[in-house]
Amino acid sequence: MNKPEAKPEKFDLASMDVAQEKREELKRRLGEAFPEVFAEGVIDFDQLKRVLGDWVDPGKERFGLNWPGKAECMKIIQQSSVATLKPVREASVEFDTTENLFIEGDNLEVLKLLQKAYFGKVKMIYIDPPYNTGQEFIYPDKFDETIETYLAYTGQIDDEGRKFSTNTEQAGRHHSRWLRMLYTRLYLARNLLREDGIIFISIDNNEVSHLRDMCDEIFGAENFVEQIAWKNKYGAGAKTKGFIEVHEYILCYSKAPIEDISSNLTEEQKAEYDSQDEKFATRGGYLTQPLMTKSLGDRENLQYNVEYNGEIVKPRKQWVWEKSRLLAAIQRNEVVIKKKSDGEFSVRAKVYLYDEKGKIRRGKPLSLLNGPFNQSGTKEVEELIGSGIFDFPKPTALLKYLFGFSVNESEEKDGIYLDFFAGSCSSAQAVMALNKEDGGTRKFVMVQLPELCSADSKAYSSGFKTIADVGRQRLRAYAKAEARQNEGELLLSSGSLSDLGFKAFKLDRSNFRVWDGNATGEGELGEQIDMHVDHLSAESSSEDVLYELLLKAGFPLTTKVQAITLAGKEVFSIDSGALLICLEKEITPELIDALAEANPLQVICLDEAFKGNDQLKANAVQTFRARAEAEESEIVFKTV
């Protein structure tokens, strides 16, 4: 009997299957705690309900947020994307060295494309979505709004009257459309967060209650962190009747329950450290906190007397510290003891702005923020790209404060910060400014729909065709301003130096013409067959193809790529040779041997490069298999 012919794996051009990933995660987690609910490897949900003692009639109504079209959200989420993100070097700043990203495109498609490479890797997300105030917003929210619809909307192909769904107060299901638009995106965004990751969402009164219910469902009510009230305006403006709204909200949720969260001190909090002693030069000012307490349970080791200036000081109930610690602090002049007029003593510990190593103290985040105000956000944009270009940008000081939060006492100053409603890119500027301030190496990923600027707008007359153009120009202007401030030299990330660049990418259809299973008719089927033979788009550059394969193989878009030569052919080495991508149009036995000799974990080649030679493919599979066995490793060989 002949052995089946060895064949390489086919490279999957679709984005990550979200539903399959959820099934696998559910099986992993349930398998540990409830092995009895599995029958032949499949979850028996009826048995799971029995184990939990809670049989629920599927026909019963359940508590939760529901709206017309909610069921379709899962269909939208689970529909894989076969689009790609194409690099745009001419729109970038320091493309080859930066680790920041600006992606122009529909954020739903982009979030799908980011799933494989960025799953569980994002430290913080901030978004400022449309507030659903009755003004039109344009975002795809239908199952059938595909990459082709997006290209038509953005003018990259003939329009033919197609456009994204819009939402106004006059439109039917005004709230439902907004909820569906945001639900799909938040669901995918949660996948990208690290286990200790958190998300901030700006919103106002129009939808805050619905948004909180939605986030309770997506993130879990137990992962609600805070609903921050942010006073964002100085005063009432021209309004003279009714309540004057001078605040918005910022909802904060975590990926998993967190133990603690701390923040950088605000300027108001720093000002509270206004007392000084002999340590001021190294420790800064101080404030005081009481060392006597009535709230703690009785503890004998905290119930003692101390002598001070010949008098006995007794606690009203007990001390906060044990005796040796209190006496040592008194000896170091870090306790303020005063006798009050009623004969009682006030005993308070000095809390300095800086610790003994010169590290500034951290604070507890406040649920009420008084500023920074919208006016400062507007001024920032005006100084960089002109007045009247972009309405209501968030002030970078607000986002710097949020991005400075530490979770579970981890004060790392790196990680990925994502904003998929980027607007004018206040978030990106905040990341770069925070890095400059504290020497951090945080990286940003900005995603913005190229929403068309109105023809009668100041932005349009200033040369900006889309909101994405505004965001990119703001980042370029900020980089130039910082370069001038640093003696004309653009500083890239190295130690404490800030990365001021960004790689620009643009959402587009795949570089590979994908088989359409819905094709009908002789003409369409014939076209699909021709496409199957030569399915690489003639308009695509090798760099376009490289980044599509890189991302869909699960590597971030900022992964270092090195072009090397093997057996006279160009090969791209990714992640120090872990992945080798060969885009040559002809594969030779010598190249196969050289690829195997490099001992990568994965090799990707063009299927057409084998010229229909199935024997050469089989030899390649055997060569890689033999090499892997010799090295006691594994080499995955795929063709596309």
Side-chain angles (χ1 to χ4, degrees):
M1 181 180 293
N2 294 329
K3 290 184 179 180
E5 187 177 26
K7 292 183 179 180
E9 294 183 29
K10 292 298 292 181
F11 186 85
D12 188 0
L13 290 169
S15 62
M16 190 180 82
D17 187 334
V18 175
Q20 178 61 27
E21 180 63 28
K22 289 294 182 183
R23 287 194 294 270
E24 293 299 325
E25 181 181 0
L26 190 60
K27 287 175 69 175
R28 286 194 299 270
R29 298 196 179 195
L30 283 179
E32 295 175 2
F34 306 105
E36 65 271 33
V37 306
F38 286 88
E40 297 182 344
V42 178
I43 302 169
D44 184 338
F45 288 100
D46 288 344
Q47 178 64 11
L48 177 60
K49 291 173 185 176
R50 295 185 194 104
V51 170
L52 297 176
D54 182 24
W55 184 272
V56 179
D57 182 351
K60 279 189 175 181
E61 293 182 353
R62 298 185 184 185
F63 177 80
L65 178 65
N66 288 291
W67 67 89
K70 182 179 181 181
E72 192 182 41
C73 286
M74 276 302 152
K75 187 188 290 186
I76 296 170
I77 290 166
Q78 293 170 8
Q79 182 187 34
S80 296
S81 174
V82 290
T84 189
L85 301 177
K86 290 188 175 182
V88 189
R89 281 185 171 269
E90 63 274 16
S92 306
V93 175
E94 302 291 344
F95 184 94
D96 291 318
T97 51
T98 184
E99 294 191 70
N100 298 318
L101 297 175
F102 180 97
I103 302 171
E104 175 186 304
D106 158 35
N107 52 18
L108 180 63
E109 289 286 309
V110 173
L111 286 170
K112 289 180 180 181
L113 291 171
L114 296 181
Q115 294 291 304
K116 284 183 183 177
Y118 292 87
F119 194 91
K121 293 181 180 178
V122 173
K123 180 179 179 180
M124 289 187 189
I125 298 174
Y126 170 81
I127 58 170
D128 184 16
Y131 283 5
N132 209 22
T133 57
Q135 302 296 315
E136 182 179 86
F137 69 80
I138 303 174
Y139 274 92
D141 68 342
K142 292 182 179 177
F143 181 66
D144 58 356
E145 286 181 328
T146 62
I147 181 66
E148 295 301 317
T149 311
Y150 165 78
L151 294 174
Y153 166 73
T154 55
Q156 297 176 58
I157 60 175
D158 291 338
D159 190 358
E160 298 179 8
R162 288 176 291 181
K163 64 180 297 186
F164 277 172
S165 296
T166 61
N167 195 53
T168 64
E169 200 164 14
Q170 290 72 37
R173 296 181 175 178
H174 171 63
H175 291 287
S176 298
R177 292 186 178 192
W178 184 87
L179 289 165
R180 182 167 59 176
M181 180 276 294
L182 202 53
Y183 187 96
T184 53
R185 290 155 177 81
L186 288 177
Y187 189 99
L188 291 168
R190 182 188 178 278
N191 291 341
L192 302 181
L193 282 174
R194 302 185 334 192
E195 283 304 301
D196 62 346
I198 54 177
I199 183 171
F200 303 98
I201 310 169
S202 281
I203 198 67
D204 69 1
N205 278 327
N206 285 286
E207 296 286 1
V208 65
S209 59
H210 291 148
L211 178 60
R212 184 159 173 183
D213 286 342
M214 183 195 298
C215 289
D216 281 348
E217 179 174 324
I218 294 173
F219 295 94
E222 70 277 10
N223 293 322
F224 168 74
V225 178
E226 189 54 76
Q227 180 171 311
I228 303 168
W230 168 46
K231 186 176 184 298
N232 62 338
K233 301 181 183 70
Y234 290 125
K239 189 173 180 181
T240 58
K241 294 182 179 180
F243 274 93
I244 310 299
E245 288 189 8
V246 292
H247 77 286
E248 294 180 4
Y249 299 100
I250 303 171
L251 293 187
C252 181
Y253 279 80
S254 57
K255 175 76 172 284
I258 58 178
E259 295 178 4
D260 187 46
I261 190 165
S262 66
S263 65
N264 291 327
L265 296 176
T266 65
E267 293 304 316
E268 289 180 348
Q269 289 172 322
K270 290 178 184 177
E272 294 175 2
Y273 293 78
D274 56 356
S275 298
Q276 298 183 19
D277 63 10
E278 72 281 0
K279 299 183 179 71
F280 180 76
T282 56
R283 304 288 302 275
Y286 68 86
L287 50 76
T288 62
Q289 294 179 344
L291 285 174
M292 293 181 183
T293 179
K294 293 182 179 180
S295 60
L296 295 176
D298 287 345
R299 290 172 57 184
E300 289 187 10
N301 67 320
L302 299 180
Q303 297 170 349
Y304 54 86
N305 299 335
V306 296
E307 184 178 347
Y308 180 75
N309 288 342
E311 295 192 65
I312 300 298
V313 181
K314 299 180 179 180
R316 285 186 289 276
K317 179 183 178 184
Q318 61 190 24
W319 302 101
V320 174
W321 296 342
E322 51 86 23
K323 188 171 184 178
S324 61
R325 181 180 178 185
L326 177 58
L327 293 178
I330 293 172
Q331 185 69 27
R332 295 193 303 268
N333 190 28
E334 293 178 359
V335 177
V336 177
I337 303 178
K338 293 180 180 178
K339 189 173 185 179
K340 297 185 291 185
S341 58
D342 60 2
E344 293 285 334
F345 281 89
S346 167
V347 183
R348 301 176 68 88
K350 294 180 181 179
V351 180
Y352 294 92
L353 182 58
Y354 295 89
D355 66 15
E356 294 174 342
K357 297 180 180 179
K359 184 178 178 182
I360 193 168
R361 183 173 296 278
R362 295 190 62 78
K364 302 305 296 180
L366 302 177
S367 62
L368 176 63
L369 295 179
N370 183 24
F373 302 106
N374 282 336
Q375 290 89 333
S376 64
T378 300
K379 184 179 179 182
E380 288 170 336
V381 174
E382 288 179 351
E383 290 175 348
L384 289 172
I385 59 176
S387 63
I389 303 297
F390 190 86
D391 295 330
F392 311 119
K394 289 295 185 287
T396 57
L398 171 69
L399 303 181
K400 275 174 55 183
Y401 175 71
L402 299 177
F403 291 162
F405 282 14
S406 294
V407 176
N408 296 338
E409 300 183 353
S410 174
E411 295 185 27
E412 58 191 17
K413 298 176 182 179
D414 56 7
I416 299 172
Y417 293 71
L418 169 65
D419 184 347
F420 51 91
F421 288 94
S424 69
C425 290
S426 295
S427 295
Q429 184 173 332
V431 168
M432 293 188 287
L434 189 58
N435 283 342
K436 179 182 177 182
E437 193 173 284
D438 64 12
T441 56
R442 303 168 185 86
K443 310 166 186 66
F444 65 73
V445 178
M446 300 290 110
V447 184
Q448 176 57 41
L449 180 75
E451 183 177 344
L452 300 174
C453 297
S454 174
D456 59 357
S457 66
K458 179 67 179 296
Y460 188 86
S461 64
S462 300
F464 298 103
K465 184 180 178 182
T466 69
I467 299 301
D469 292 337
V470 173
R472 280 188 296 259
Q473 183 55 30
R474 177 180 182 175
L475 295 182
R476 293 190 201 100
Y478 180 76
K480 288 180 181 178
E482 288 299 301
R484 286 193 298 270
Q485 191 172 337
N486 290 284
E487 301 177 343
E489 181 181 358
L490 188 63
L491 301 178
L492 298 178
S493 59
S494 174
S496 62
L497 302 182
S498 295
D499 179 354
L500 300 174
F502 63 91
K503 291 179 188 285
F505 287 84
K506 200 170 189 177
L507 179 68
D508 205 339
R509 61 166 64 90
S510 173
N511 298 288
F512 299 89
R513 291 175 286 184
V514 180
W515 178 271
D516 183 4
N518 297 319
T520 59
E522 185 176 336
E524 290 184 2
L525 288 172
E527 184 179 336
Q528 288 294 308
I529 292 171
D530 291 340
M531 184 184 299
H532 191 64
V533 174
D534 182 12
H535 69 310
L536 182 59
S537 173
E539 293 80 28
S540 299
S541 69
S542 60
E543 190 167 58
D544 292 339
V545 177
L546 171 65
Y547 275 99
E548 176 167 4
L549 297 178
L550 182 78
L551 182 64
K552 291 178 178 178
F555 288 84
L557 290 166
T558 54
T559 304
K560 300 304 180 187
V561 178
Q562 181 183 9
I564 60 176
T565 301
L566 295 177
K569 303 286 187 179
E570 184 179 52
V571 175
F572 296 101
S573 173
I574 291 54
D575 196 21
S576 301
L579 168 64
L580 296 179
I581 297 177
C582 180
L583 303 178
E584 293 281 358
K585 295 297 183 71
E586 183 178 1
I587 297 289
T588 64
E590 293 78 16
L591 176 59
I592 292 171
D593 290 340
L595 289 169
E597 188 67 26
N599 200 32
L601 298 177
Q602 188 175 176
V603 175
I604 301 173
C605 298
L606 296 178
D607 190 74
E608 65 180 87
F610 287 89
K611 307 296 182 184
N613 189 338
D614 291 338
Q615 184 58 51
L616 185 59
K617 280 186 190 177
N619 291 344
V621 172
Q622 296 296 352
T623 299
F624 290 130
R625 186 176 297 164
R627 177 69 185 183
E629 289 175 356
E631 296 291 331
E632 295 184 349
S633 62
E634 182 180 0
I635 301 176
V636 177
F637 173 41
K638 296 182 179 181
T639 58
V640 61

